Amino acid sequence: MFSDSVRCLVVVGAQWGDEGKGKIVDVLAEQATIVARYQGGANAGHTVRVGDDEFVLHLIPSGILYPDARCLLGNGVVVDPWTLADEMDRLRARGIDLDGRLGISRRAHLVLPYHGVLDAAIERSRGAGKIGTTGRGIGPAYRDKIARTGLRVGDLRDMGRTRDIVTAGATRANATLVGLEDAERVDSEEVLASLEAIRPQMLELLADAGDEIRAGLDGGARVLLEGAQGAMLDVDHGTYPFVTSSTTTAGGAAVGVGIGPTLIDEVIGVVKAYITRVGAGPLPTELPEAEAERLRRLGGEFGATTGRPRRPGWFDGPVARYAAGVNGLTSLAVTKLDVLDTFETIQIATEYRLDGAQVRGFPDSVDELAAVAPAYEDLAGWGEDTSGCRTLEALPPAAQTYLSRLEQVCGVPVRLVGVGAARSETIRTPGPDLAIA
């Protein structure tokens, strides 16, 4: 995907997250000089398989598994420093050299213990209207950022300033907990003691992500910008309020690392060959439980970070077309094609209908989205193991037809196809459009 004319690419989820971005980033990172995460926090996990080894990464970009890649957490990421330190320790224990290879933007905000307490308490207070948050403090951390009351990684250079911000934050958190009639409380001194202990490790990682990336591109570097979650979880363009608290779409990549959007050359949208989502909110193509359990079992559809079971459905064309538009997708990476190997018939939702009429555009109301009826197109399954295929031509004709139909439904060319979790189990298509047998 990198070339002389393409030196900065964005990899973004084009569904509700969990599309297999970690694998796609890992495959592309082999050619990258810099890999930078631009949003989200430790509420999302990327799973990467190298040979018989499996790595689950929560904050550190997937490029860390390549020894020459410089990995950055941009200013758009909210960083739980204790989770990050634990992740670093686990990688080092497995022989991954991190020295000089990992940096955090000084402008990135920190997720603090009282953010997690608030997250869980607010979710409890919603009762039957729960959103399905992971409870890891992401929303409250972003709220403090927007309210201009957050603690940034660079603030750790001044413990006096850190004390003022944390003390005020803990006071606000406790006031909120009282208002929610929640029994938990936060001790600011405990938070400060924990920060003091981890502070030296964080200060060693301070960087200016934007400066590094711009200088790298000026010097001929290849830059990969990695998103978390998916377009349908974007705080502006997703199925609000059942969304995350950051800009997951490609527009957030430039903002989240500190570069101009004109430096981005290509935007790759990652989709599963079907669809899943975690937590509450509408999923128009959701399967009945018996079929859902089959797909969940075949695809290993459990959250990499939380372990929560995902809700599977057939491929949703309206979602993919909408994601293509809001992200400006230039190509697609289709993952987990092999999961469909044993299905006799595979369905694709080509449009939505509401009260018998075609829905124009994508619904901005979750109530309307919950009420739509997908119009399905049936395609024949291929009934063959595709995990050994390494070229498009090696795929069964019915699988090639399925991929071609996804292209037509989405309006975006397929450039990568995943037929397994390993790096090697990836097909690169020959050009901007599929060559169907």
Side-chain angles (χ1 to χ4, degrees):
M1 309 294 277
F2 285 107
S3 67
D4 291 340
S5 60
V6 177
R7 293 194 295 109
C8 184
L9 5 129
V10 178
V11 174
V12 63
Q15 295 170 326
W16 270 283
D18 306 311
E19 302 95 345
K21 294 180 298 298
K23 173 186 171 165
I24 299 302
V25 171
D26 176 65
V27 168
L28 296 173
E30 183 179 15
Q31 299 176 347
T33 315
I34 298 172
V35 183
R37 168 93 173 264
Y38 64 82
Q39 51 74 225
N43 58 332
H46 286 171
T47 302
V48 178
R49 183 168 295 170
V50 182
D52 294 330
D53 291 332
E54 185 173 272
F55 296 83
V56 179
L57 303 167
H58 303 284
L59 279 166
I60 297 174
S62 303
I64 202 69
L65 302 179
Y66 289 98
D68 296 327
R70 168 75 167 161
C71 292
L72 300 171
L73 299 180
N75 53 277
V77 180
V78 286
V79 181
D80 181 324
W82 299 278
T83 297
L84 178 61
D86 178 65
E87 192 168 324
M88 292 169 65
D89 288 343
R90 286 186 285 107
L91 285 172
R92 286 189 174 113
R94 297 180 68 177
I96 306 299
D97 181 14
L98 304 182
D99 291 347
R101 298 189 51 230
L102 181 63
I104 308 174
S105 170
R106 294 190 289 271
R107 296 176 175 86
H109 279 249
L110 290 170
V111 180
L112 301 172
Y114 52 77
H115 292 135
V117 172
L118 279 174
D119 204 0
I122 292 168
E123 184 76 344
R124 285 193 295 269
S125 75
R126 293 189 174 106
K130 286 181 171 61
I131 287 175
T133 174
T134 61
R136 293 173 184 265
I138 307 304
Y142 275 116
R143 183 174 67 181
D144 277 1
K145 173 179 178 174
I146 299 304
R148 296 165 292 183
T149 57
L151 182 71
R152 303 197 295 182
V153 181
D155 291 328
L156 294 177
R157 292 172 294 187
D158 181 346
M159 281 307 290
R161 176 174 175 75
T162 296
R163 172 172 286 277
D164 291 344
I165 292 171
V166 169
T167 300
T171 299
R172 285 192 305 274
N174 285 331
T176 301
L177 292 166
V178 169
L180 292 172
E181 298 182 349
D182 196 279
E184 286 205 63
R185 295 294 180 270
V186 178
D187 186 331
S188 62
E189 291 302 320
E190 290 183 3
V191 176
L192 286 163
S194 295
L195 279 172
E196 187 71 61
I198 206 164
R199 174 174 174 258
Q201 194 170 354
M202 294 299 105
L203 292 181
E204 288 180 358
L205 300 175
L206 290 185
D208 189 312
D211 279 355
E212 278 201 44
I213 292 171
R214 289 190 299 272
L217 289 170
D218 286 344
R222 291 179 166 185
V223 175
L224 184 55
L225 305 180
E226 170 186 349
Q229 288 98 18
M232 304 311 297
L233 294 176
D234 184 274
V235 69
D236 288 302
H237 303 292
T239 49
Y240 190 91
F242 300 101
V243 295
T244 192
S245 301
S246 61
T247 300
T248 64
T249 43
V255 176
V257 297
I259 63 172
T262 53
L263 293 178
I264 295 171
D265 299 309
E266 185 170 352
V267 182
I268 303 166
V270 185
V271 294
K272 279 177 182 163
Y274 47 100
I275 201 167
T276 61
R277 78 172 297 172
V278 173
L283 181 62
T285 65
E286 187 165 11
L287 288 164
E289 183 51 35
E291 295 176 61
E293 180 56 28
R294 178 187 176 190
L295 197 48
R296 188 182 297 122
R297 176 177 51 79
L298 289 170
E301 295 297 349
F302 299 88
T305 295
T306 64
R308 291 187 296 178
R310 298 171 184 146
R311 298 160 53 197
W314 293 122
F315 189 89
D316 191 317
V319 162
R321 285 195 298 273
Y322 177 67
V326 296
N327 285 288
L329 298 183
T330 55
S331 62
L332 287 177
V334 178
T335 63
K336 293 197 168 185
L337 182 70
D338 57 300
V339 174
L340 301 180
D341 284 351
T342 59
F343 286 83
E344 292 184 7
T345 302
I346 300 167
Q347 293 186 304
I348 297 175
T350 56
E351 64 179 30
Y352 296 153
R353 303 192 74 81
L354 186 61
D355 298 327
Q358 183 182 5
V359 175
R360 300 292 180 181
F362 192 83
D364 59 88
S365 160
V366 290
D367 292 335
E368 183 179 339
L369 187 62
V372 300
Y376 286 110
E377 180 177 314
D378 292 351
L379 282 84
W382 42 92
E384 297 179 42
D385 181 6
T386 59
S387 63
C389 297
R390 295 297 177 266
T391 65
L392 190 65
E393 294 75 19
L395 287 171
Q400 295 185 42
T401 299
Y402 183 71
L403 291 171
S404 180
R405 191 67 185 114
L406 293 189
E407 275 194 333
Q408 295 162 3
V409 168
C410 300
V412 182
V414 173
R415 296 295 305 280
L416 293 169
V417 181
V419 290
R423 285 174 177 170
S424 60
E425 295 173 323
T426 306
I427 296 169
R428 297 174 185 261
T429 69
D433 298 298
L434 285 170
I436 298 301

